[in-house]
Amino acid sequence: MAGAGLTVAVTGPTGDVGRALMRALERSRDVRRVKALGRRQIDPAAEGWRKTDYLRGDVLDRDAVAELVDGADVVVHLAFAIMGAPGERGREVNLTGSRNVFSAAVRAGARRLVYTSSVAAYGFHDDNPPLLREDLRPRGTDAHAYSKAKAEVERLLAETTVGSATEVYVFRPCIVAGPDALMLIGNIPYVQLGDRMPSAVWRLLDAVPVLKPVIPDNGISFQLVHHDDVASALRAAVLGRGGGGVYNLAAHGTLTMRDLADDLGWYSIPVPELAVDVAAEMATRLPFVPEDAQWLNALRVPMLMDVSKAERELRWRPRHGVRETLRATIAEARAAQLLR
């Protein structure tokens, strides 16, 4: 049941999901106070965060984490080094940092602990079922660091919280998109097409349609989810709706590479199964997609999820369709002059 006057602690408040969640918590009448921990210098007032006390720090700092969770009814852990961090540093943030947060939440007696994992935790395996459901064990894929780390952190969460009174929610969203996904530029190694090609070439591409880029279409369907819809599911967990457990998150509908090309105004060509890697590689060249985000292997292996559990138990309904989410992301990329 929802509880009035909750104090919520959040790690990773400045990412795409983080910003969306902070807006949702600020609007919630059931949330009295938010405590947020992040590495960036942030002015809460400038962000419109009136309920938020912002702590500048790192999840590797146990004292900072302890200060964050002190007095918190709910702890939401979003901080995760997806890419850009030097090898061992990134792994330390993901594993040691997550352990610090999970352990501190249990010690502090938090009522609920909410963790955002990923569809990548299931692993990119040829023997995955056609539709992934929450009772499938997260195997990860050793060859892909992001997938492996997401599965490892889920196992770490289970080990850290076993036997505790803290109720645990785990969310596995598919590829998260939307305008806020572009706010991380500058800290992530984006491939910016506008920096690779002079303006004269762009004018030529605009004037001669046949020269527009071509995306290989391997026919594999994939899912997107808007960051605001992920935030609404997280807010439901913060309020204790539905009960703890694992929940898949995806917008209604699916996309193919052809859909992506159509909305970009580019061309697509069908490719044989052997060229699946080419299509996924092409997607990583888009300026609004982090090139090292290894969940793009979902374009190589079908990774479609059943989201009926979240709809049934959390009463969650994604407000943004998959095509709407894609178009909003592309529009923001063009507004930011990352796409022409």
Side-chain angles (χ1 to χ4, degrees), residues 200-214:
V201 176
W202 279 114
R203 288 196 297 272
L204 178 62
L205 289 175
D206 289 337
V208 186
V210 76
L211 295 183
K212 290 185 182 295
V214 176

Side-chain angles (χ1 to χ4, degrees), residues 242-273:
V246 180
Y247 296 92
N248 291 336
L249 299 177
H252 294 148
T254 61
L255 296 168
T256 65
M257 296 299 286
R258 179 176 180 177
D259 296 322
L260 176 60
D262 287 347
D263 283 351
L264 285 166
W266 295 1
Y267 297 111
S268 65
I269 56 171
V271 295
E273 190 172 333

Side-chain angles (χ1 to χ4, degrees), residues 9 35 37 55 58-59 61-72 100-101 104-105 107-108:
K35 300 172 69 179
L37 176 69
L55 309 174
D58 194 308
V59 291
D61 182 342
R62 292 184 179 180
D63 291 338
V65 172
E67 180 181 355
L68 173 74
V69 303
D70 182 39
N100 289 345
V101 175
R107 284 196 302 270

